[in-house]
């Protein structure tokens, strides 16, 4: 019996399971899914959990059940590519015949002193819970700094403004406009929304160090009662420690079939993979579908294609509280209630289709 090990039950891992189960999995293959927690987490909604506008229960989806799907929960410390094993914190090793690494990302602190020690995060469900407790225990009038004006920072700032309008939210961003990956039209729309709702944007910021309750912008101290870091991501530490070729962002370079070069048994999906698009749940799912196609051909001894079709992304959507949003759909900018309704609908379909 071959053992396919999926390292991480994120969007990529869940899509692999959805494509193989219940009827596509060959009789001589079993699957072992490894994760820290016994459920899939909707990471795209961690900002709302941290802000306190949704409960923990709303962002959990149960893993599927199947006679040849085995679950293993624990902390992985490494992958031994030579011995084809996954190593756990307690020293236990699990062998694999094929491995899909989908461990996601971590905060990137850009070597800024104190950033890791004195800021809160929304990168994992555990850290998002801690951030929620901190933010929602603050007294009225407290200052919350959010460092990073990308999608995560913007959604957290808007949701926190809705959840706790009594707080003073400051959004620090390096650029001339927040949401630098979006057209200026959308950035301006969101900036105007923040201006109307009392969220302060500090453009052209340069965070030089962080101390407890103090953010230094251009070396000038700014008192904060809580600081949340949303200013960049990097691949999981286990992937960073892998002795394989990586790109400038530390993501693993892959063949056109999504496996590590010279190793047809190890695939990397999602935030840790070097791909021509920015990391996203949608990209991880598209990549996972193609990995399943490759695995099925390999398992059945069929000839493999030299390349696979380019993964097509439908767009990206962001929320501004519960009633407004923004996004790009088929390269067309949309704003307001329509964008928010679209995002809510997609989330509902994902959660209840998978759950």
């Amino acid at each position: 019996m071959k053992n396919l090990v999926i390292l991480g039950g994120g969007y990529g891992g869940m899509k692999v399971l959805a494509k193989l189960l219940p009827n596509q999995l060959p009789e001589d293959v079993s699957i072992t899914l490894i994760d820290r927690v016994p459920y899939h987490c909707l990471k795209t909604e961690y900002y709302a959990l941290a802000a306190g506008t949704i409960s923990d229960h709303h962002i959990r989806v149960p893993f599927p059940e199947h006679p040849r799907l085995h679950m293993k929960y624990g902390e992985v410390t490494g992958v031994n590519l030579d011995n084809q094993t996954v190593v756990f914190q307690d020293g236990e090793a699990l062998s694999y015949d094929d491995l899909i690494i989908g461990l996601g990302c971590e905060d990137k602190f850009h070597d800024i002193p104190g950033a890791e020690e004195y800021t809160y995060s929304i990168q994992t469900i555990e850290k998002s819970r801690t951030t929620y407790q901190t933010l929602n225990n603050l007294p009225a009038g407290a200052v919350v700094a959010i460092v990073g004006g990308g999608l995560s920072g913007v959604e957290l700032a808007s949701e926190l403004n809705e959840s706790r309008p009594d707080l003073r939210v400051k959004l620090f961003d390096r650029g001339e406009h927040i949401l630098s990956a979006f057209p200026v039209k959308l950035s301006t729309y969101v900036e105007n929304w923040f201006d109307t709702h009392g969220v302060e944007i500090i453009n052209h910021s340069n965070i030089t160090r962080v101390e407890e309750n103090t953010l230094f912008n251009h070396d000038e101290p700014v008192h904060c009662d809580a600081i949340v870091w949303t200013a960049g991501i990097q691949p999981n530490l286990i992937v960073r420690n892998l002795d394989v070729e990586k790109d400038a962002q530390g993501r693993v370079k892959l063949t056109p079939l999504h496996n590590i070069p010279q190793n047809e048994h190890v695939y990397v999906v999602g935030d840790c993979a070097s791909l021509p698009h920015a990391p996203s749940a949608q990209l991880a799912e598209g990549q996972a579908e193609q990995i399943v196609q490759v695995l099925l051909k390999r398992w059945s001894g069929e000839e493999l294609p030299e390349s696979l079709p380019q993964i097509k992304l439908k767009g990206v959507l962001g929320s501004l509280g519960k009633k407004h949003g923004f996004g790009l759909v088929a390269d067309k900018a949309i704003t307001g209630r329509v964008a928010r309704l679209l995002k809510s609908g997609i989330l509902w379909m994902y959660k209840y289709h998978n759950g």
Side-chain angles (χ1 to χ4, degrees):
M1 182 77 72
K2 296 187 185 74
N3 188 22
L4 167 64
V5 172
I6 302 174
L7 195 47
Y11 291 98
M14 283 291 278
K15 180 59 73 172
V16 170
L17 294 178
K19 288 297 179 180
L20 287 175
L21 305 177
N23 302 317
Q24 286 269 79
L25 187 65
E27 291 292 333
D28 63 341
V29 178
S30 65
I31 302 174
T32 303
L33 175 64
I34 302 172
D35 205 287
R36 288 194 187 108
V37 295
Y39 40 76
H40 168 59
C41 301
L42 303 177
K43 187 174 182 179
T44 58
E45 304 306 299
Y46 284 173
Y47 71 91
L49 173 62
T53 54
I54 61 172
S55 72
D56 192 295
H57 175 74
H58 282 96
I59 59 171
R60 301 199 307 255
V61 176
F63 291 129
E65 296 180 359
H66 188 274
R68 281 180 285 128
L69 171 61
H70 311 287
M71 314 301 299
K72 185 166 181 59
Y73 305 117
E75 190 73 31
V76 173
T77 56
V79 175
N80 189 319
L81 297 176
D82 295 327
N83 296 336
Q84 292 192 202
T85 55
V86 174
V87 183
F88 291 84
Q89 195 170 41
D90 60 5
E92 182 185 356
L94 176 69
S95 297
Y96 64 82
D97 294 288
D98 293 289
L99 176 67
I100 299 175
I101 301 174
L103 287 170
C105 60
E106 301 172 357
D107 289 301
K108 186 172 184 177
F109 297 101
H110 309 284
D111 297 321
I112 296 172
E116 184 171 4
E117 293 81 2
Y118 298 113
T119 66
Y120 293 91
S121 170
I122 57 171
Q123 279 300 325
T124 68
I125 192 166
E126 298 95 330
K127 290 179 179 179
S128 298
R129 288 169 178 150
T130 302
T131 301
Y132 158 73
Q133 290 180 329
T134 299
L135 296 180
N136 285 278
N137 282 332
L138 291 173
V143 176
V144 177
I146 299 172
V147 182
L151 185 59
S152 295
V154 163
E155 290 192 307
L156 176 61
S158 61
E159 204 79 6
L160 187 59
N161 174 262
E162 186 166 286
S163 172
R164 292 287 309 271
D166 55 295
L167 298 176
R168 295 173 56 200
V169 180
K170 297 175 180 283
L171 181 60
F172 291 81
D173 188 65
R174 292 179 65 93
E176 184 176 349
H177 292 282
I178 57 174
L179 296 170
S180 59
F182 288 77
V184 174
K185 175 184 176 181
L186 283 179
S187 299
T188 303
Y189 170 81
V190 176
E191 288 168 347
N192 290 337
W193 190 93
F194 278 144
D195 185 56
T196 302
H197 290 79
V199 174
E200 183 182 357
I201 300 173
I202 297 91
N203 293 114
H204 304 292
S205 65
N206 181 27
I207 307 306
T208 51
R209 75 179 191 275
V210 184
E211 295 178 0
E212 188 172 7
N213 298 122
T214 307
L215 197 65
F216 288 82
N217 183 27
H218 296 282
D219 290 326
E220 291 294 323
V222 180
H223 169 77
C224 309
D225 296 285
I227 306 165
V228 185
W229 194 268
T230 62
I233 58 173
Q234 62 183 340
N236 183 282
L237 177 62
I238 292 165
V239 171
R240 300 204 305 273
N241 288 338
L242 279 179
D243 185 18
V244 296
E245 188 178 2
K246 303 184 183 83
D247 63 17
Q249 286 74 43
R251 301 185 178 104
V252 178
K253 290 188 176 182
L254 303 172
T255 73
L257 302 186
H258 305 297
N259 59 283
I260 294 175
Q262 286 80 52
N263 193 331
E264 65 178 25
H265 297 291
V266 179
Y267 303 80
V268 182
V269 64
D271 298 346
C272 297
S274 180
L275 298 170
H277 301 285
S280 69
Q282 190 182 161
L283 181 60
E285 289 186 318
Q287 191 188 5
E289 290 187 8
Q290 294 189 344
I291 290 173
V292 169
Q293 294 172 19
V294 173
L295 283 172
L296 289 173
K297 286 183 178 295
R298 280 193 166 133
W299 289 335
S300 64
E302 295 180 40
E303 185 179 351
L304 299 176
E306 291 186 5
S307 62
L308 296 166
Q310 184 177 352
I311 298 171
K312 294 182 179 179
L313 303 181
K314 296 176 182 177
V316 59
L317 294 165
S319 68
L320 294 172
K322 288 291 180 282
K323 294 182 179 178
H324 296 88
F326 60 93
L328 284 172
V329 178
D331 294 325
K332 181 180 179 182
I334 57 172
T335 58
R337 290 179 181 268
V338 172
R340 190 63 180 91
L341 286 170
L342 272 176
K343 180 174 180 181
S344 297
I346 291 169
L347 176 64
W348 187 92
M349 288 178 64
Y350 178 89
K351 181 177 178 180
Y352 291 101
H353 174 73
N354 284 281

